[in-house]
Amino acid sequence: MKMTILGSVLAGSTLVASMAQAEDTISAVHAFPETLIYTKSFLSFVDKVNAAGEGVIQIDVRGGPEAIGMFQQPDAVRDGVVDMVYTPGSFYGGALPEKDAMVTSNMTAVEARASGGIALIDEIHQEKMGLKYLGWFDSGVCYNLWTRDEPKFDADGNFDVDGIKLRGNNVYNAFFSGYLNAQVIDLPTGEVYSALQRGVVDATGWTQIGLIDLKWNEFLNYRIEPCFFSTDLGVIVNQEKWESLSEESRTILQDVAIQHEADSVAALRLKRDEDFAALESAGMKVVTLEGEAKAKYLAAAVETTWERMKSVMAEQPGGTDNYDRLLELFYDADAAK
């Protein structure tokens, strides 16, 4: 009898230990500081996963660029240094130029998932980088040009960049250089505040939201409309780690990611409206391109970036095989008219 009881206790202890060990854990980092609205969105996703996945899957956030440099994060997740990264696709555009289809998209993640666009992007991530593309977060937000001084326009109403010290980065440099003929100064996000403060730059591209979080509005006084592009922020997961997770863990991660794609669209559009109202109340002025100048500006933003995507794709295995399909799945030509 004693042996039977002892055997039951040991079996129960083994079962409890087994259940405890069964919980999957994923380590994660994010590209931007915790104070930025986009990082807050990602951390909201983490909270949702950890609530839904209690006892099954948990995400352990290790920090942001202070933990792993923002431009090193894509390599870190590919190499298994960390399991998950929330980052713009543009930070690894050299390895995966197809991300430009998201940059130039006029769809939300909800629409792109329904069209099959995100499934294709996921497939390309797996083939080219050994990464699972879990979700496109914070879509439906576009970019503006923001300037310290009142913008100038030529006789035809086109934006004149002459004399402007324009901060650039990989998201929009093809547009800034290829169409606007601007001489850009590449700077990571974390260095822009001091660059504006010291007069190193006096204009920048940035999304419709987040300017206040970054405090760049202390120096920037004008927003140029129309906006262009889309954010390309997404969550990527090391492929081997993804495959090692239980089926239940993968289901929770994917289901919560799909829901957050929709939730973040609504939340960030509300934040955009609040930011615009706060900026304009504080004196931010809005200057708008009109007529043919507006049409050319918008078309050039898309076309110069597509050209960049196609040229880089052509140099890689598989070439431009997916080029037309990407445009079809991420860009609604009718909506652009």
Side-chain angles (χ1 to χ4, degrees):
M1 177 64 72
K2 289 182 179 179
M3 289 300 293
T4 302
I5 294 172
L6 179 59
S8 298
V9 170
L10 289 173
S13 299
T14 301
L15 178 61
V16 170
S18 174
M19 290 174 65
Q21 291 170 0
E23 182 178 81
D24 287 317
T25 302
I26 283 187
S27 60
V29 294
H30 43 82
F32 299 118
E34 194 169 331
T35 53
L36 191 59
I37 182 63
Y38 298 113
T39 305
K40 292 176 182 178
S41 175
F42 170 67
L43 295 177
S44 171
F45 160 74
V46 170
D47 289 342
K48 293 174 188 176
V49 169
N50 289 347
E54 187 173 357
V56 181
I57 175 95
Q58 296 288 286
I59 300 175
D60 175 24
V61 179
R62 303 288 176 81
E66 77 285 354
I68 300 176
M70 61 172 62
F71 297 119
Q72 285 72 53
Q73 290 178 7
D75 286 342
V77 69
R78 182 195 61 196
D79 297 339
V81 175
V82 66
D83 300 323
M84 172 185 285
V85 166
Y86 169 72
T87 186
S90 296
F91 283 6
Y92 53 95
L96 204 132
E98 291 86 351
K99 60 83 191 174
D100 274 340
M102 305 173 78
V103 169
T104 56
S105 182
N106 58 357
M107 298 179 176
T108 66
V110 177
E111 295 163 325
R113 188 169 286 279
S115 76
I118 293 180
L120 178 57
I121 283 289
D122 179 23
E123 179 184 321
I124 294 168
H125 274 76
Q126 293 184 45
E127 289 177 355
K128 287 195 169 185
M129 296 187 69
L131 296 172
K132 168 71 179 175
Y133 191 83
L134 187 64
W136 180 18
F137 293 173
D138 310 320
S139 63
V141 176
C142 52
Y143 289 78
N144 289 96
L145 270 171
W146 308 79
T147 67
R148 186 193 309 271
D149 300 319
E150 184 174 1
K152 297 179 293 184
F153 301 90
D154 65 20
D156 296 320
N158 299 301
F159 178 49
D160 184 358
V161 299
D162 187 45
I164 292 179
K165 293 173 287 187
L166 180 59
R167 177 255 178 169
N169 71 12
N170 290 335
V171 178
Y172 27 69
N173 276 355
F175 174 42
F176 287 178
S177 300
Y179 176 70
L180 295 178
N181 296 318
Q183 297 295 317
V184 299
I185 302 169
D186 282 345
L187 292 171
T189 304
E191 296 179 17
V192 175
Y193 181 90
S194 62
L196 287 165
Q197 187 178 45
R198 293 181 287 112
V200 174
V201 296
D202 49 31
T204 185
W206 188 252
T207 61
Q208 294 174 309
I209 59 175
L211 208 76
I212 296 172
D213 296 340
L214 295 164
K215 299 183 180 180
W216 296 356
N217 57 305
E218 294 177 12
F219 311 103
L220 299 170
N221 303 305
Y222 294 86
R223 184 180 85 240
I224 299 175
E225 292 287 349
C227 67
F228 53 92
F229 289 169
S230 173
T231 52
D232 64 337
L233 291 154
V235 169
I236 49 180
V237 182
N238 178 273
Q239 184 69 24
E240 289 185 11
K241 180 65 177 183
W242 174 259
E243 292 173 354
S244 76
L245 299 174
S246 70
E247 183 177 350
E248 187 177 6
S249 292
R250 291 197 299 268
T251 298
I252 290 169
L253 280 170
Q254 190 64 86
D255 287 351
V256 175
I258 290 172
Q259 183 59 51
H260 192 69
E261 286 176 342
D263 293 346
S264 62
V265 169
L268 267 62
R269 283 180 172 170
L270 177 61
K271 173 64 173 172
R272 173 198 61 196
D273 294 344
E274 291 172 348
D275 274 15
F276 276 9
L279 288 167
E280 290 175 29
S281 177
M284 175 76 69
K285 296 179 176 60
V286 181
V287 178
T288 305
L289 292 164
E290 302 288 353
E292 186 177 351
K294 174 182 176 180
K296 287 168 61 179
Y297 181 84
L298 290 174
V302 171
E303 291 167 6
T304 54
T305 308
W306 283 349
E307 288 168 7
R308 174 178 67 186
M309 178 173 75
K310 192 171 188 177
S311 65
V312 180
M313 286 175 68
E315 298 171 356
Q316 298 184 350
T320 58
D321 289 351
N322 286 314
Y323 177 79
D324 291 335
R325 185 72 174 143
L326 286 163
L327 268 54
E328 175 188 348
L329 297 179
F330 281 96
Y331 193 77
D332 185 344
D334 292 331
K337 294 177 181 177

